[in-house]
Amino acid sequence: MTAGTKTLTLLRHAKSGWDDPALRDYDRGLNAKGKRAAALIGGQLRKTPDAFDHVVASPAVRVVETLEQVEVGYGRTLAPRFDRRIYLASAVTLLDIVHETPAEATHILLVGHNPGLEDLAMLLVPASDEPLRVALEAKYPTATIAELSFEGAWGDLAAGSARLTRFVRPRDLDPALGPDED
C-alpha cells in the first residue's frame, strides 16, 4: 500500500444540450458553451504540476465530449477508463470507485455528474469558512474542477480527511461562461 500525499481532482461534465427531447439523458452531448468551458478548464489543468496517472470517467456522451474538449486545452491525451457506475452515482459509490484506485497512482481525475461529485467533495472536505469550501458549498457548476489532497492510501480516504486545494469554475476564467442555470 503506497502512502504519501494523494490528489483527487473531480471534474463535473460541461454544459450539455437539451435540444433533442427524444434523446435519453445518457446520450445528451455538449452545447457550444459547454465545449468552450471544457477546453478552458483543460488549459487550467495544464498548469497542474503533476500529470494524472489514473483517469476514470462516466461513459455518458456529455462526459466523453467533455474529456475530448479538456484534452484540447490540456494538450495531452487523458486515456480514461470508463466506468458505468459513475453515471449518476451517489457520493458513496464514487468513493468506492476511488478506493479501488491502484496503490501506485498519486493523482486521479474523476469525471462525472452532479449531485454525486458535489456530494463527494462535501463529504471529504470538512466544513469550514475557508473561501474555497464556501464556494464549493454554494454551487458546483458544470465544467468545474475541485482538487482535493490527503495523506495516506486511496483505501483510507474517508469523510473529512481531505483538503480542498483548488476550486475553479469556468466563469472564474471567462465571465462570459458565468451563470445561467448550471
Side-chain angles (χ1 to χ4, degrees):
M1 198 180 292
T2 304
T5 301
K6 304 280 196 231
T7 304
L8 171 61
T9 300
L10 305 176
L11 170 62
R12 184 178 174 198
H13 68 79
K15 187 167 278 309
S16 56
W18 288 94
D19 301 341
D20 185 349
L23 275 183
R24 295 180 314 156
D25 177 70
Y26 184 89
D27 296 324
R28 288 187 297 115
L30 299 185
N31 64 22
K33 185 176 180 179
K35 289 177 182 176
R36 282 196 343 265
L40 201 57
I41 287 294
Q44 183 70 20
L45 290 173
R46 184 189 311 211
K47 298 174 184 176
T48 303
D50 303 323
F52 299 107
D53 50 16
H54 188 70
V55 180
V56 62
S58 163
V61 171
R62 61 191 177 274
V63 172
V64 172
E65 290 184 2
T66 296
L67 283 167
E68 289 169 355
Q69 294 303 311
V70 165
E71 285 179 344
V72 169
Y74 189 55
R76 296 180 226 173
T77 302
L78 291 168
R81 182 176 62 79
F82 292 102
D83 188 327
R84 289 189 71 83
R85 294 176 297 168
I86 297 172
Y87 177 65
L88 305 181
S90 69
V92 171
T93 299
L94 293 173
L95 185 56
D96 286 344
I97 292 166
V98 171
H99 285 163
E100 295 167 8
T101 301
E104 63 276 2
T106 59
H107 194 174
I108 299 176
L109 175 62
L110 176 62
V111 190
H113 311 266
N114 256 8
L117 284 180
E118 180 176 357
D119 292 346
L120 179 61
M122 299 282 284
L123 173 72
L124 296 175
V125 178
S128 76
D129 57 359
E130 292 179 16
L132 291 179
R133 181 61 163 78
V134 170
L136 167 67
E137 202 168 316
K139 192 171 192 183
Y140 196 129
T142 53
T144 293
I145 54 172
E147 186 178 274
L148 292 69
S149 67
F150 73 101
E151 296 295 323
W154 293 112
D156 298 332
L157 184 58
S161 66
R163 287 180 303 112
L164 185 60
T165 56
R166 183 162 61 156
F167 186 72
V168 182
R169 303 164 296 195
R171 71 172 165 232
D172 298 331
L173 306 173
D174 178 354
L177 293 171
D180 34 76
E181 66 274 306
D182 284 334

